[in-house]
């Protein structure tokens, strides 16, 4: 049996050597087919197969507002009114924790070695990272007492920003930097694989990734009409359907309590992973099927 296999290999090599054109065409056909399949599978693995970089992502949900307005920019927006987020946090039983965040653009002062720059990040509640189940690589999380407008400003850096701006200096934690003309204490650095939220570049943000996280530092009265993002975690004994039913009840109560601001929109809840993947799921599977078909055609061509 072994000699038969070796004889087949020698015969194949002899045929390839005497038919270089066929060998080249066959090799290119197989190489292109395998490369196309590998590229598409890599994209599918990153988006659909690989879990989100959070603890137990299957229990994370996102709360958003569906507006009665026909404006597509508002319909199904990934944000809610700050008051709605606060009221859901106070009234829910199906959610174990709720994280609140909003966009933030700050001016970082320069020094003799680095120029000043505007950096994009998030103003986040102290509950955001615990809700996601993540902790800083260096330093610590935002404390609840720091989530007020009358305390010292603090900041957590992304890994990329820490590497780019601070040369991966592990002593940056505890350093005071100047943000918007005021002192700000660096309290932590997030791990390299962490990113939140997963998003594309938008017109109102200079980059598609988050470079820092600071406390919301907002008074409750200031948050009533501001828009915020909300991510939450289901209680271990609650299902998504139960949480959605509870949110519908809370939404009805808010419409009754605040008709001027809440009668034109409805609070919705869905799995955070589904919202992140969005409409990319079907096209990616279609591309994968096409790549596999391309691979089979290439193999068939070589066999023929």
């Amino acid at each position: 049996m072994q000699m038969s296999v070796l004889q087949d290999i020698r015969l194949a090599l002899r045929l390839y050597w005497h038919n270089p054109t066929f060998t080249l065409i066959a090799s290119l056909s197989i190489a292109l087919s395998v490369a196309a399949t590998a590229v598409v599978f890599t994209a599918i693995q990153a988006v659909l197969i690989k879990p989100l970089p959070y603890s137990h992502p299957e229990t994370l949900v996102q709360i958003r507002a569906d507006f009665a307005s026909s404006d597509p920019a508002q319909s199904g927006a990934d944000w809610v009114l700050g008051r709605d987020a606060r009221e859901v946090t106070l009234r829910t039983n199906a959610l174990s924790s709720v994280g609140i965040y909003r966009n933030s653009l700050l001016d970082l002062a320069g020094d003799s070695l680095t120029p000043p720059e505007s950096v994009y990040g998030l103003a986040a509640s102290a509950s955001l990272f615990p809700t996601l189940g993540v902790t800083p690589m260096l330093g610590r999380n935002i404390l609840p007492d720091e989530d007020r407008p009358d305390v010292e400003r603090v900041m957590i850096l992304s890994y990329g920003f820490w590497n780019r701006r601070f040369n991966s200096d592990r002593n940056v934690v505890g350093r005071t930097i100047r943000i918007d003309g005021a002192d700000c204490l660096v309290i932590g650095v997030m791990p390299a694989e962490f990113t939140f939220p997963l998003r594309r570049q938008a017109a109102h943000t200079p980059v598609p990734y988050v470079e820092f996280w600071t406390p919301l530092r907002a008074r409750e009265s200031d948050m009533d009409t501001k828009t915020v993002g909300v991510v939450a975690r289901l209680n271990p004994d609650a299902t998504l359907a139960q949480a959605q039913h509870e949110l519908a009840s809370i939404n009805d109560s808010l419409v009754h309590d605040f008709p001027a601001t809440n009668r034109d929109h409805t609070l919705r809840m869905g799995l955070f992973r589904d919202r992140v993947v969005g409409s990319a799921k079907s096209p990616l599977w279609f591309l994968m099927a096409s790549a596999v078909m391309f691979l089979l055609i290439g193999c068939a061509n070589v066999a023929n």
Side-chain angles (χ1 to χ4, degrees):
M1 180 66 179
Q2 184 177 2
M3 289 300 297
S4 177
V5 172
L6 292 176
Q7 288 174 354
D8 289 341
I9 293 175
R10 283 197 295 267
L11 177 60
L13 292 175
R14 189 178 302 116
L15 290 173
Y16 289 155
W17 178 259
H18 292 293
N19 296 274
T21 302
F22 166 77
T23 303
L24 179 61
I25 293 174
S27 300
L28 287 176
S29 179
I30 294 296
L32 289 174
S33 301
V34 171
T37 306
V39 168
V40 176
F41 179 76
T42 300
I44 288 179
Q45 183 186 37
V47 177
L48 301 179
I49 300 177
K50 185 178 180 180
L52 297 176
Y54 317 125
S55 176
H56 300 289
E58 69 279 359
T59 63
L60 289 175
V61 297
Q62 184 186 43
I63 300 175
R64 63 184 189 277
D66 280 348
F67 284 76
S69 168
S70 59
D71 183 0
Q74 285 191 332
S75 180
D78 285 337
W79 45 264
V80 302
L81 293 178
R83 179 171 57 201
D84 292 350
R86 184 179 70 246
E87 292 298 324
V88 168
T89 303
L90 295 174
R91 303 184 191 199
T92 184
N93 292 311
L95 303 176
S96 60
S97 60
V98 179
I100 303 171
Y101 58 93
R102 58 184 172 86
N103 294 331
S104 179
L105 189 62
L106 301 177
D107 291 326
L108 174 64
D111 53 33
S112 58
L113 299 177
T114 55
E117 64 175 308
S118 295
V119 290
Y120 165 70
L122 292 184
S125 64
S127 59
L128 178 62
F129 288 166
T131 297
L132 296 173
V134 296
T135 55
M137 177 188 73
L138 299 176
R140 60 171 176 83
N141 186 24
I142 298 168
L143 301 177
D145 288 344
E146 293 169 331
D147 203 1
R148 303 199 319 266
D150 56 344
V151 298
E152 180 186 19
R153 302 183 70 169
V154 297
M155 172 181 289
I156 297 177
L157 308 177
S158 72
Y159 184 91
F161 187 46
W162 171 64
N163 181 62
R164 175 179 65 84
R165 180 78 187 199
F166 298 97
N167 299 315
S168 301
D169 181 8
R170 301 180 69 89
N171 295 320
V172 70
V173 176
R175 182 189 302 178
T176 298
I177 59 178
R178 296 288 289 178
I179 293 288
D180 285 350
D183 288 342
C184 182
L185 179 67
V186 177
I187 61 171
V189 178
M190 295 304 293
E193 66 276 7
F194 176 77
T195 178
F196 183 86
L198 302 170
R199 60 190 305 279
R200 298 181 181 88
Q201 185 168 345
H204 59 284
T205 60
V207 291
Y209 45 84
V210 175
E211 296 184 314
F212 67 84
W213 295 265
T214 61
L216 277 172
R217 293 172 50 87
R219 296 179 177 85
E220 289 188 1
S221 58
D222 297 334
M223 289 294 293
D224 284 353
T225 56
K226 292 184 180 295
T227 57
V228 297
V230 179
V231 63
R233 188 175 292 277
L234 295 172
N235 264 322
D237 57 348
T239 65
L240 176 62
Q242 291 171 336
Q244 289 172 329
H245 180 74
E246 180 189 69
L247 184 64
S249 177
I250 294 175
N251 180 80
D252 292 340
S253 299
L254 293 177
V255 172
H256 178 270
D257 296 342
F258 310 104
T261 56
N262 287 67
R263 61 188 175 190
D264 66 336
H265 67 268
T266 304
L267 297 180
R268 304 291 187 191
M269 178 188 295
L271 291 175
F272 183 66
R273 179 179 180 85
D274 292 344
R275 195 62 174 175
V276 170
V277 174
S279 59
K281 185 174 182 178
S282 295
L284 281 175
W285 283 122
F286 176 77
L287 283 175
M288 187 63 190
S290 301
V292 171
M293 184 65 67
F294 185 60
L295 177 62
L296 293 177
I297 291 173
C299 293
N301 287 336
V302 173
N304 288 334

